[in-house]
Amino acid sequence: MSPLWTSAEIAAATGGAASAEFAVDAVAFDSREVGPGALFFALTGETTDGHKFLEQALASGAAGAVVSQATAHRHVLTSDTMAALENLARASRARMDGVVIGVTGSVGKTGTKEALFDCLDRPEPGQAHRSVKSYNNHTGVPLSLARMPRDTRFGVFEMGMNHAGELATLTRIVRPHIAIVTTIAPAHTEFFDGEEAIADAKGEIFQGLEPGGTAIVPFDSPHRDRLIAAATGHAARIVTFGLGNGADVRAVEVMHGQPGGTFVTAKIGAEKTLSFTLSQPGDHWVANAMAVLAAVDAAGGDLEQAGLALGEMGGLAGRGARFAAPVAGGEALVIDESYNANPASMRATLAVLAATPATRRVAVLGEMRELGEQSGDFHADLAEPVTAAGVEAVLLVGEGMKPLAAALEGRVELVHVPDAASARVSLDAMLRAGDAVLIKGSNGVGLSRVVAALAGRG
């Protein structure tokens, strides 16, 4: 097999100088992710300098490094390692002859990216590549591109943002043939003047579309027409997806609670129909699946194989994974949604909890961050979906949850704690056998540690 990169290719792409000949099979800028044969980028920033971790990376088996400081180890010397990473990403994109798909949205972009990868990779494992974890920012996107094997047929890249202009930059590096916006919802509102501004920022993804490209837009969104306007002039074809009549790719039949998941019949364009079982619960996942099928169809993928892949998907850690945790007298079902949260995703996952059979439903909800001046209202407004979900016990985490605590006072069993460490203690006292517990909050709250503690009991 050909290496991912040779030192000569790295030097040519970055404008650097190679100290010796070497080849690499992986790329990393976090020394903890370095393994044998990897290329380590010593990135420098305001608070860290990757050159300090160079010895650690090499001890872990790095075959070489991209540096901006002299070193005796095998390296490519550049003046700016971050610029070098971006240039290697551009070189990776330039040598790729397959189909590139970009995914963004306020909610659902990581799950959609993972589902799309599964659907495209299933017919021939190894032909698809995607960004791992949530590597979707100014460093994660170039890293994901630089990691793409040269013979990749389908590349799927998640792109995120919290300021206007960020996606415009990222999408011009990715240069997608197909660009998807999943959902527009209040997120990072601290940095935006309303949802319309968020829609405009998400619509920047269409600016990087390759000639003849396809824009995929949520039909049921109140910002649909705004997104279509953003795509017009950049996309040769605009496809809508969703649940409503008129969507180009639409779920025409949805049967929840079927063995193995949700049974869905989808209409894809005027002539194609696909029936499949969707393993992931909730109407939001039905909508996500329509976006996935729209992209598979646009990419020339195998729709029947995609339907099988959607039925086989497991829950993602932090985004819907489920497991049984031992508690006094039996077990409790844990629904791990700890990775992130905004008002829309909170409502969607509370609806999933409502549909989950249980003796009692418990919600551990961490504060939602970066919501700006409306944060208090957004938190208080969760009282209705909490009670509608039949939640009997609520554990709220963080200062930002005070408005929701006030709104729920006297309506449910309620505990409000300042941090994740306190939540671990309180949840131990709260959980009972037969409970279904949803754990969700902004990533910075640290509820993943609560999930890890529960998972470690087995």
Side-chain angles (χ1 to χ4, degrees):
M1 292 179 62
S2 300
L4 181 62
W5 295 103
T6 66
S7 54
E9 290 172 329
I10 298 164
T14 63
S19 66
E21 290 187 5
F22 61 89
V24 301
D25 295 312
V27 182
F29 56 64
D30 185 336
S31 60
R32 295 167 296 184
E33 294 186 354
V34 170
L39 175 68
F40 175 63
F41 270 84
L43 299 184
T44 57
E46 294 180 2
T47 60
T48 186
D49 183 350
H51 295 86
K52 296 178 180 179
F53 303 96
L54 186 56
E55 294 294 334
Q56 179 181 334
L58 293 165
S60 297
V66 176
V67 298
S68 58
Q69 301 172 14
T71 174
H73 301 288
R74 288 178 296 185
H75 66 271
V76 173
L77 181 64
T78 68
S79 59
D80 184 333
T81 52
M82 185 62 227
L85 178 59
E86 292 176 353
N87 286 330
L88 191 63
R90 291 187 177 95
S92 177
R93 176 64 185 86
R95 73 182 184 180
M96 192 266 201
D97 293 328
V99 178
V100 174
I101 304 169
V103 182
T104 194
S106 303
V107 184
K109 54 184 176 291
T110 300
T112 298
K113 177 256 298 181
E114 290 292 328
L116 189 48
F117 168 80
D118 286 350
C119 289
L120 293 171
D121 200 56
R122 192 183 193 281
E124 187 179 333
Q127 69 177 348
H129 170 80
R130 91 291 206 184
S131 46
V132 299
K133 301 181 181 178
S134 287
Y135 281 177
N136 62 21
N137 63 5
H138 68 287
T139 53
V141 170
L143 176 69
S144 298
L145 273 165
R147 289 173 163 177
M148 181 167 59
R150 62 184 76 225
D151 58 352
T152 297
R153 184 179 174 194
F154 300 105
V156 187
F157 299 94
E158 177 181 341
M159 289 177 266
M161 63 90 207
N162 58 18
H163 290 84
E166 288 183 85
L167 271 178
T169 298
L170 293 176
T171 191
R172 288 185 171 94
I173 297 174
V174 175
R175 290 168 39 217
H177 299 95
I178 301 165
I180 304 170
V181 176
T182 57
T183 303
I184 303 298
H188 310 299
T189 52
E190 179 181 353
F191 308 112
F192 292 97
D193 185 19
E195 278 193 30
E196 291 82 3
I198 295 173
D200 291 340
K202 294 295 184 183
E204 291 173 11
I205 194 173
F206 303 127
Q207 296 176 20
L209 276 169
E210 290 286 271
T214 300
I216 298 177
V217 172
F219 179 83
D220 303 311
S221 170
H223 308 291
R224 175 191 64 208
D225 293 341
R226 200 175 192 96
L227 291 169
I228 289 173
T232 301
H234 300 289
R237 180 173 174 237
I238 299 174
V239 177
T240 59
F241 72 90
L243 308 181
N245 289 326
D248 297 316
V249 179
R250 181 169 70 93
V252 295
E253 182 181 14
V254 178
M255 298 173 62
H256 292 292
Q258 301 304 299
T262 301
F263 181 79
V264 181
T265 297
K267 188 79 172 175
I268 302 140
E271 299 178 355
K272 301 174 185 176
T273 300
L274 179 70
S275 294
F276 62 98
T277 298
L278 177 62
S279 64
Q280 302 302 301
D283 282 337
H284 62 297
W285 257 108
V286 177
N288 289 347
M290 297 306 103
V292 168
L293 294 178
V296 170
D297 186 52
D302 187 322
L303 286 170
E304 291 186 358
Q305 292 286 334
L308 294 173
L310 289 169
E312 295 167 354
M313 273 194 71
L316 303 175
R319 296 180 175 87
R322 296 181 175 213
F323 62 90
V327 298
E331 293 180 330
L333 173 67
V334 179
I335 304 172
D336 175 17
E337 287 278 357
S338 61
Y339 182 75
N340 220 338
N342 59 42
S345 64
M346 281 285 200
R347 289 174 178 270
T349 50
L350 283 165
V352 169
L353 178 62
T356 301
T359 304
R360 189 180 65 145
R361 296 183 182 89
V362 178
V364 180
L365 305 179
E367 62 187 7
M368 303 176 291
R369 296 182 175 176
E370 296 184 354
L371 293 179
E373 295 180 356
Q374 292 181 281
S375 178
D377 291 337
F378 283 130
H379 283 85
D381 287 347
L382 292 178
E384 183 276 329
V386 166
T387 54
V391 174
E392 296 179 44
V394 180
L395 174 56
L396 303 180
V397 187
E399 182 74 13
M401 277 295 179
K402 277 187 175 180
L404 180 56
L408 289 174
E409 187 68 40
R411 300 169 67 179
V412 295
E413 178 186 339
L414 175 66
V415 177
H416 186 197
V417 297
D419 52 38
S422 304
R424 287 177 59 176
V425 175
S426 297
L427 188 58
D428 279 341
M430 182 179 287
L431 281 183
R432 305 173 189 166
D435 284 350
V437 54
L438 168 68
I439 303 178
K440 187 167 183 65
S442 284
N443 195 37
V445 179
L447 293 183
S448 60
R449 297 193 293 274
V450 177
V451 173
L454 290 170
R457 291 179 174 183

